[in-house]
Amino acid sequence: MRIFQPVPVSCPPPCAACRLRKTGAFTAVSSDELAFIESFRSSTLTRHAGSILIPEQQPNGRLFTLYEGWAFRYKTLSDGRRQILNFLLPGDLIGLQQEFSDSAMHGIEAVTDVSLCMFPREGLLELFRSFPSLGYDTTWLAAREEGMVDDHLLTNGQRNAAERVAMLLMHLYRRLERIGLAHEGSVAFPINQQHIADTLGLSLVHTNKTLRRLKLLGLHDIRGGRLWLLNPRALERLADYYDTPPRKVPLL
């Protein structure tokens, strides 16, 4: 069995040399817009797996673009039960919701080592004023995030366990494939069964049984930190997942 070793994350380069912009998955920007994004970026940073990037219910005031690695948004109850709201992958904008609250409405935790570009929240007004197209892009990203939350609500509210797992596997695979992170029919899959259970509202036991059942049916395989979709058409039918041609998305 081939084991894929995790690669240490690298510090984000200047915007003109951004690897993500070269994937073709993101909308193009003008030279003036790129220069503004570079000036807007206050710093870059790296954090280890398990780090809390934004503490829940705490003031933060920063925006991030995830350059490399995985993270997730979550909310917790007073007894420690956790709901993972969605997974964050390279290119995702983090922390925009804080603009409309005195404190973080959710927490952000790194699944793997991550590297990020950091932006001051108070610079958003200048972005909207000086570059309306970038302001529109930011609004578009917020609407896309809302749409993803709607999809997750539908999954957890109406799909059964097998359909939920199939939907999550398809959703994450396609998102990673879009940004060029699929390799030989597989993608990195650093999340564990507890992450999946906390995302889909299932018990850990039920999650384990469902994953094993789908694997025995020959639909997927998870090994060596990688996910293979062995029968994506069957997974799509099971999840009622409709794959449309991926559109380019904005990147700050």
Side-chain angles (χ1 to χ4, degrees):
M1 179 177 68
R2 184 177 180 184
I3 303 296
F4 289 80
Q5 296 295 335
V7 178
V9 298
S10 55
C11 190
C15 293
C18 178
R19 175 190 62 80
L20 293 174
R21 294 190 186 278
K22 298 175 182 178
T23 63
F26 300 93
T27 53
V29 294
S30 69
S31 58
D32 288 345
E33 289 169 336
L34 190 63
F36 176 82
I37 293 171
E38 180 69 61
S39 66
F40 182 33
R41 186 174 69 166
S42 60
S43 64
T44 63
L45 67 157
T46 59
R47 291 290 184 267
H48 292 302
S51 298
I52 302 300
L53 306 179
I54 296 179
E56 195 174 10
Q57 300 300 328
Q58 296 296 316
N60 183 278
R62 294 178 294 179
L63 297 169
F64 304 94
T65 290
L66 182 59
Y67 176 74
E68 195 170 348
W70 286 50
F72 61 84
R73 295 196 306 122
Y74 68 93
K75 292 180 75 72
T76 55
L77 297 175
S78 59
D79 62 4
R81 284 177 292 168
R82 178 181 70 179
Q83 177 67 47
I84 292 179
L85 305 172
N86 71 329
F87 289 98
L88 301 164
L89 302 177
D92 286 346
L93 182 64
I94 301 172
L96 184 62
Q97 292 87 347
Q98 295 175 91
E99 180 67 17
F100 309 101
S101 175
D102 293 331
S103 61
M105 295 182 287
H106 54 258
I108 306 284
E109 181 177 325
V111 178
T112 65
D113 291 352
V114 296
S115 60
L116 308 106
C117 299
M118 188 167 68
F119 304 92
R121 190 171 66 172
E122 58 271 17
L124 274 177
L125 185 59
E126 181 60 28
L127 181 148
F128 275 83
R129 180 185 296 117
S130 300
F131 291 92
S133 59
L134 293 180
Y136 175 84
D137 286 347
T138 304
T139 304
W140 190 94
L141 288 171
R144 174 175 176 256
E145 183 75 23
E146 181 182 1
M148 291 172 63
V149 171
D150 290 347
D151 287 341
H152 295 329
L153 181 60
L154 172 64
T155 291
N156 288 0
Q158 297 299 325
R159 289 182 168 98
N160 62 34
E163 292 166 344
R164 293 184 203 184
V165 171
M167 184 65 181
L168 181 64
L169 297 182
M170 288 301 311
H171 174 73
L172 291 174
Y173 189 96
R174 295 305 185 205
R175 286 180 64 194
L176 290 161
E177 183 180 51
R178 182 184 65 81
I179 55 176
L181 295 180
H183 178 70
E184 296 180 352
S186 71
V187 295
F189 201 71
I191 60 176
N192 57 37
Q193 292 187 11
Q194 188 64 64
H195 290 123
I196 296 174
D198 288 351
T199 302
L200 300 179
L202 301 171
S203 70
L204 189 58
V205 171
H206 202 172
T207 299
N208 179 271
K209 288 181 177 178
T210 304
L211 283 166
R212 281 191 293 144
R213 181 154 63 91
L214 296 183
K215 179 178 179 179
L216 289 173
L217 290 172
L219 303 188
H220 78 95
D221 194 13
I222 300 173
R223 64 180 188 276
R226 308 284 295 187
L227 164 66
W228 278 262
L229 299 188
L230 304 180
N231 193 337
R233 289 186 179 275
L235 277 171
E236 287 173 347
R237 289 194 299 270
L238 176 61
D240 199 19
Y241 177 90
Y242 297 98
D243 197 16
T244 58
R247 64 171 290 179
K248 294 183 179 182
V249 301
L251 174 65
L252 290 185

